[in-house]
Amino acid sequence: MKPLIVLGTAVMLSPISFAQDSIFPIWGEQAAQRGHTLPKPYGLSLSYMDISNPITIDNINLTGGIGDVIDIDATKAEFEGSNVTLRGDVWLLPFLNVYGILGYTQAQSTAKIDSISLAGLPIPVDGAKFTLDMDGITYGIGTTVAGGINNWFALLDINYTYTDIDAIDGSIKTFVAAPRVGHRWQYDGGRELRVFVGAMYQDVQQHLSGDIKALGLDLGDMNFLIDDTRFEVSQRTEQKWNALAGFQYSINRDWDVLAEAGFGQRKSAFVSLGRRF
C-alpha cells in the first residue's frame, strides 16, 4: 500500500500541465458561453476509505480431508475494511465524467459459527468463529453524471471494482450507485464549498476458497479433523443502501478536498485530496 501512496503523492505534486486547448469537455465552450463555470478537464485524486458492514453467508462448502462428512453452518458475518485508491478522471462532456481506479484493500470478515457436525453428530462450538483476511489490489471504472440549477446540484456516481485477494483464492466484486444532491457557495479566487446529502447502493459479492486452516478455525484437541480440508465460501452485503452526508471544498481551481460519512447498518468514512489540470 505504501508504494501506491508514494506514487499518488508524487504524481499529484509534480509540475504536470496539459494544453489549455484540450478537446475536453466536448461542448465545454458552449457551456461556458452560457455562463457555466466548468472544472478543469483532467483530475487525479488520492483517497482513503474505512467501512464496516454486516454480510450474509450464502454458502460454506468443504472438500478434501473430512470435508465430505463435516458440516459448518454460519449465516452472518461482520465485514471491516479500508482501502487507499488513486483515481484518474476526465470530463468528457460538461455533465459526464469518466474515471479509472487503482488501489489496495485491506479487509476482514468474522463470522460466528452456528453449528458444526461430524457425520451428523454435533460438535460443541460455543463462541467458535472463523475469520477471512481479504487483502489485495483493487481496480475498477466508473462514471459520474452531474447537473444543476443556479447553486443547487445533483449527481449520480456509478462504479464497478474488482479486488484480487492475495492470501487465499478469491475476489471481491463491488457495484456502487450513489445519488447525491446539494448546494454550493462560490468565493473569490476559485474557492468553492459544496455540501451534499445522498444515499449509496452497494452490492458486494465475495467468493473465497482455500485451506480451512486459513479461516483461523480452532477446534482445540480436534484440530486434526480438518487436516487437508479446503473450503469455499460465498457471501454478500446484507444491507445494500445507506445514507450519506459530506462536503467538498475547492481551495482553488487546481486543488480540492472531499470528506463523506455513511450512516445506517453500513458505516463508512471517506476522505480525498484531488488535483485538476
Side-chain angles (χ1 to χ4, degrees), residues 115-228:
S115 66
I116 298 179
S117 61
L118 177 62
L121 299 175
I123 299 174
V125 292
D126 290 343
K129 298 179 180 180
F130 69 80
T131 300
L132 290 166
D133 291 315
M134 297 173 284
D135 301 349
I137 299 295
T138 296
Y139 49 92
I141 57 174
T143 184
T144 302
V145 180
I149 300 176
N150 297 324
N151 286 321
W152 293 94
F153 66 89
L155 61 88
L156 174 63
D157 182 74
I158 298 173
N159 64 69
Y160 176 84
T161 59
Y162 180 92
T163 301
D164 190 14
I165 306 300
D166 292 337
I168 58 179
D169 298 329
S171 63
I172 304 174
K173 300 175 183 178
T174 305
F175 173 79
V176 172
R180 300 174 178 89
V181 295
H183 190 274
R184 68 173 186 167
W185 292 265
Q186 293 179 293
Y187 308 98
D188 295 336
R191 294 177 298 128
E192 183 176 301
L193 174 64
R194 297 185 174 206
V195 177
F196 58 85
V197 294
M200 178 182 290
Y201 173 89
Q202 188 178 87
D203 183 16
V204 180
Q205 302 290 335
Q206 301 172 358
H207 302 283
L208 312 160
S209 64
D211 191 314
I212 196 172
K213 291 180 179 178
L215 297 178
L217 183 63
D218 186 2
L219 299 181
D221 294 336
M222 303 186 72
N223 274 339
F224 68 91
L225 292 174
I226 58 177
D227 287 343
D228 302 319

Side-chain angles (χ1 to χ4, degrees), residues 54-57 74-78 110-114 130 235 238:
I55 58 178
T56 297
I57 301 173
T75 57
K76 303 293 183 183
E78 289 295 328
T110 302
K112 179 180 179 299
I113 296 175
D114 298 321
F130 69 80
Q235 50 192 28
E238 180 176 293

